[in-house]
Amino acid sequence: MNLTFGNPALLFGAALFVVPLLIHLLNRRRYRTIRWAAQEFLQQAFQTTRRRMQLESLLLLLARCLLVLLLAFALAAPRAPRAGLMAMFGGQPRDVVLIVDTSYSMARGERDGDSPLLRAKERATKLVEALSEERGDRATLLTLASAPELFASPELAAVRERVQRLSPSFRGADLIRTLNRLSEEILAPSTTSREVYLFTDLQRTTFAPGRAVAADSEATPASALRQAAALNRASFTVVDVGDERASDDLAVEDLTVRPQNVVSGEVATFTATVRNFGNRERRGQKGTFALGGRREAGREVTFDVPASGVATVEFSTLGPAPGSSFVEFTLEPDELEADDHRALAFPVHEAVKVLVVDGDPKPDSRESRFLAEVLNPFPDPETMGTMFRPRVIDDRRFNLRQENLGDYDLIVLANVGRIDPDVAKDLETVVRAGRGLMLFLGDLVDLASWNEVLYRPDGTGLLPARLVEPVGDVAAAWDQALQLRVDDFSHPVLKLFEDESLRQNLRGRVRRFFKTEYGARDSASSTLIGLDDDPARPSPLVLEKGLGRGRVVLWTTTADDDWTDLPNLGFAFLPLMHELATWLTLPDLRRFNLEVSEVIRTTTRTVPNELVVTSPAGERTTLSDPPREQENGEFVLPPYAKTAEPGVYTMDLAFPLSGSGKDLGARQTRHFAVNVDVREGDLTRVPVDALSVLYPGVELKVVREIDVQKAASPDQTEGEFWRPIVIAALTLLVAEMLMAWWFGRARGGAA
């Protein structure tokens, strides 16, 4: 039997057993024999009890010597093999934690009947079966996932059954979040040693040392693992169940539409980006576009993907009927099917409706004419021309609130003098709800009124900056006017002019404009186009800001050629206005396109009396919680969180026949696309010998197979049994005290 000690130096304390022996001998020497006459009478009586007293003294001496030996033995921390007799006497039960990676990369090769997860379940099951409830062994299951799930049961059979029921998720793995839960809920500080087994495919994206739970977190997998190891005397064994073959996975990385403002009957182009995670070129790959769930309305494409590169394929068609629609792109199945499909949900407009408010009461006002012709120059814009459908009204109708601003995608104010405070509130409401607002100034603008109702120093108003004063002379010669200045062409509006050959088109002159001043809280505002009046601090000509889900653009000059010659320069003004109008009315596609397990949230302008969500698998869920009204008059519908499966989710809404609201009696269908995180499709593995570099200060044992008889680490193969020795010593101490009291009482009674 291989007996070892954690503190062998303390064994020398066993020599202290001579102390009670010396005390016993010294007590015998202190008596001196004196013979006297009466002794003869007493000796005969004492002879009968002498043997008993000697036996009692010997028992007390042995108990005291053994007590010292036991204490010294316990302090030396004795250890013995679990299979040995002493380990059976003092060995502690095994406490095993199983961490099983359930990210979707663990499903690699599942269609062929073998996958890392299947191998992990097999090995974990054997480990649980090797434990013994009679010995007091325990097992806890924790999934390595973005949302780790914990399962603990005193019954090993229940843990084994839960392991066998594990299935791959459609999400990635978050090692930090999993290790934090391990530390917080399982490895509570204790003197008990635990065995932690991590079953994983050693995917590089999971074990990347810099990957954090959140953007503001400083944690890394290495620090989280060190914390878990330091919190408890836990041994970590990584069970490598991954496939060592090179990856050949193709993934649909992205799916976009151009233009994002999809208009019914207008051409829309869908682009799918396919990434090759393998190191060999893939030729003759096939994929299929499907529009609105109908393959016949889509297209099959064949393409090549370079090694470790990407390929893009396109499909152009006319925009479907107004409402909500979606497009899907699907690859032929490969070794990892979860990322072979992607969907894109998007709204479809009948047209982009634009409301132009003309502040000039003169019949020959040119602001509205310039703007309407630039947005759609055709004589019948309702049936032909661009996607923009402008409608012109005067500022009187506008300020009397005779127009429903929510019916328009873009609102343009041109030289409007004063704005009614209630109308300003309506403007802010629709902008925050996702509409666009473009503001042109002029000689009729009441500066004080605009600043009062549209600007707020805290940055929450409609104006991107405070208006200061108009400067410049409208009578000045054009060659004395200021020129445009653009320092950054990376903005989506200016990307059209990014090429050097096209930048010369973005020119014009400005004779008069409003000076503006950014406030300390106007961090959401920025300058798109400036003027060359001051090289150090150019005055803004075009400013923009985001507000809620909408955007605002402010021109500090006029929409006609009173203050600037830009409207006369069609090669500059027309494309610039189209880019601005398109950008201001872009739908927020993020609201309709989510990742797996993100919550679907949406709003309506009328409370529906029926709301049903259908999952990609066909499961129908009725959402019955009451909607919540917002300050902007919209209603937030109850959230839908059961999005663990990728695909297209369909929301059907039915509105009441009576009451208040625009959608009375109508039925609507909204689509939401839920997709996987394609980073999980990178099956590149972390080299085993690199783990010690990635995780310094943590001892990780990496194995392919588990020997269930020798599954624990070297420290765990030996059972410590100092606790029962201490218990025995305490029991002996109590027994010695009781014996001493009893023997003394008996002798006193005999005397």
Side-chain angles (χ1 to χ4, degrees), residues 52 77 101 125 155 203 229-230 267 280 309 327 350 449 463 477 479 486 492-493 523 525-526 590 630 676 682 713 750:
R52 179 174 58 83
D101 188 346
T125 299
E155 299 180 2
Q203 189 184 26
V267 175
R280 67 181 181 92
V327 66
E350 181 180 0
S449 172
L463 280 178
D479 58 0
V486 179
V493 170
S523 58
S525 303
S526 63
R590 294 172 300 178
Q630 298 185 116
V676 300
D682 184 358
S713 62

Side-chain angles (χ1 to χ4, degrees), residues 445-686:
V445 167
D446 186 328
L447 184 148
S449 172
W450 274 55
N451 281 332
E452 180 182 355
V453 300
L454 298 182
Y455 180 75
R456 295 194 195 118
D458 62 0
T460 61
L462 286 169
L463 280 178
R466 188 176 69 87
L467 304 181
V468 179
E469 60 179 349
V471 295
D473 184 3
V474 295
W478 283 114
D479 58 0
Q480 301 296 318
L482 299 174
Q483 298 187 43
L484 275 58
R485 171 176 170 175
V486 179
D487 295 324
D488 184 8
F489 286 88
S490 62
H491 193 279
V493 170
L494 301 174
K495 269 191 171 296
L496 178 65
F497 304 94
E498 191 173 20
D499 189 273
E500 288 289 347
S501 61
L502 297 177
R503 290 188 184 185
Q504 61 180 349
N505 293 338
L506 191 60
R507 65 178 188 267
R509 295 183 179 273
V510 178
R511 293 189 294 196
R512 187 171 174 82
F513 67 96
F514 269 82
K515 280 277 191 179
T516 55
E517 181 180 75
Y518 285 121
R521 304 289 293 278
D522 288 326
S523 58
S525 303
S526 63
T527 300
L528 292 181
I529 303 175
L531 297 170
D532 64 351
D533 57 335
D534 185 345
R537 298 185 61 184
S539 296
L541 176 67
V542 181
L543 304 85
E544 64 91 9
K545 73 175 293 185
L547 188 65
R549 300 203 310 267
R551 301 182 180 97
V552 181
V553 165
L554 169 66
W555 287 77
T556 59
T557 190
T558 58
D560 59 14
D561 57 1
D562 283 350
W563 290 9
T564 176
D565 66 350
L566 263 173
N568 296 324
L569 304 176
F571 53 80
F573 195 60
L574 189 148
L576 182 58
M577 281 295 296
H578 272 245
E579 292 298 310
L580 281 170
T582 299
W583 180 70
L584 285 170
T585 56
L586 285 180
D588 185 5
L589 295 183
R590 294 172 300 178
R591 299 173 56 207
F592 310 103
N593 296 275
L594 314 170
E595 282 193 0
V596 168
S597 295
E598 287 188 335
V599 179
I600 294 177
R601 305 179 191 276
T602 190
T603 60
T604 60
R605 290 184 289 176
T606 306
V607 178
N609 58 1
E610 183 180 343
L611 178 57
V612 179
V613 178
T614 305
S615 73
E619 178 186 357
R620 292 171 58 85
T621 302
T622 300
L623 304 181
S624 55
D625 292 341
R628 176 172 50 86
E629 187 173 7
Q630 298 185 116
E631 292 183 359
N632 62 8
E634 290 189 334
F635 295 90
V636 178
L637 300 182
Y640 179 82
K642 296 161 59 176
T643 58
E645 177 186 1
V648 177
Y649 290 75
T650 302
M651 178 180 289
D652 293 307
L653 304 94
F655 295 95
L657 296 175
S658 60
S660 60
K662 178 179 175 58
D663 302 310
L664 295 179
R667 301 188 73 88
Q668 287 184 10
T669 297
R670 299 183 183 183
H671 298 100
F672 300 86
V674 175
N675 296 296
V676 300
D677 183 351
V678 295
R679 292 178 300 175
E680 187 68 17
D682 184 358
L683 300 176
T684 306
R685 288 162 47 84
V686 173

Side-chain angles (χ1 to χ4, degrees), residues 191-239:
T191 56
T192 303
S193 298
R194 290 183 174 91
E195 309 166 37
V196 180
Y197 293 87
L198 174 56
F199 300 84
T200 179
D201 56 359
L202 285 178
Q203 189 184 26
R204 183 175 60 186
T205 55
T206 299
F207 287 84
R211 189 170 180 179
V213 174
D216 58 350
S217 172
E218 297 181 357
T220 64
S223 64
L225 188 57
R226 282 194 297 270
Q227 176 187 359
L231 182 65
N232 208 297
R233 293 188 302 153
S235 66
F236 283 86
T237 300
V238 177
V239 184

